[in-house]
Amino acid sequence: QVQLVESGGGLVQPGGSLRLSCAASGAPFDYYAIGWFRQAPGKQREGVSGISSAGRTYYVDSVKGRFIISRDNAKNTVYLQMNSLKPEDTAVYYCAASLIALGSISWARDRTYAYWGQGTQVTVSS
């Protein structure tokens, strides 16, 4: 069973950048697909980005061209580089792990992922 810990959240001004990290432990990391989700107050949790075990990446339309997901299997870590941040990016960000192969729709579904981190707060405000 894999354990996930997110870090890197914080307060940033609009237009700024943050890099979130999702560190995994407890199981061979290479086989897991990882997803990043976010949940803003009063809103449903939504898929932001995903990366398969082979490195294929997925993004929700609202972050394409601004966010970049990557993985470093040697460090058991997945990163989410967030650039040109907007106030609407404010949310708690969660990473999640799955042994199920990701597809173009399934990557953004909660039920695809069996393991979740505790979340990290991202606030974009001036």
Side-chain angles (χ1 to χ4, degrees):
Q1 182 170 337
V2 65
Q3 291 84 44
L4 304 172
V5 178
E6 303 94 336
S7 61
L11 173 64
V12 64
Q13 291 187 342
S17 297
L18 283 174
R19 188 177 78 160
L20 304 184
S21 298
C22 173
S25 62
F29 181 67
D30 305 34
Y31 301 113
Y32 285 87
I34 303 294
W36 281 100
F37 289 75
R38 65 187 179 188
Q39 188 165 23
K43 295 188 176 181
Q44 285 191 327
R45 187 161 58 187
E46 68 166 346
V48 175
S49 182
I51 186 165
S52 73
S53 58
R56 183 171 182 176
T57 59
Y58 304 87
Y59 299 95
V60 69
D61 285 348
S62 61
V63 308
K64 284 180 180 177
R66 300 190 297 124
F67 291 10
I68 301 171
I69 190 171
S70 62
R71 66 189 299 157
D72 185 339
N73 288 341
K75 295 183 178 179
N76 287 0
T77 301
V78 168
Y79 304 99
L80 185 68
Q81 178 67 43
M82 306 188 297
N83 301 319
S84 302
L85 283 161
K86 304 175 181 180
E88 51 263 43
D89 295 317
T90 295
V92 177
Y93 283 71
Y94 302 88
C95 67
S98 173
L99 286 171
I100 300 173
L102 299 185
S104 59
I105 295 175
S106 65
W107 75 266
R109 289 178 173 167
D110 287 19
R111 63 178 182 266
T112 297
Y113 303 87
Y115 309 101
W116 292 79
Q118 82 290 347
T120 186
Q121 176 71 47
V122 171
T123 303
V124 185
S125 174
S126 55

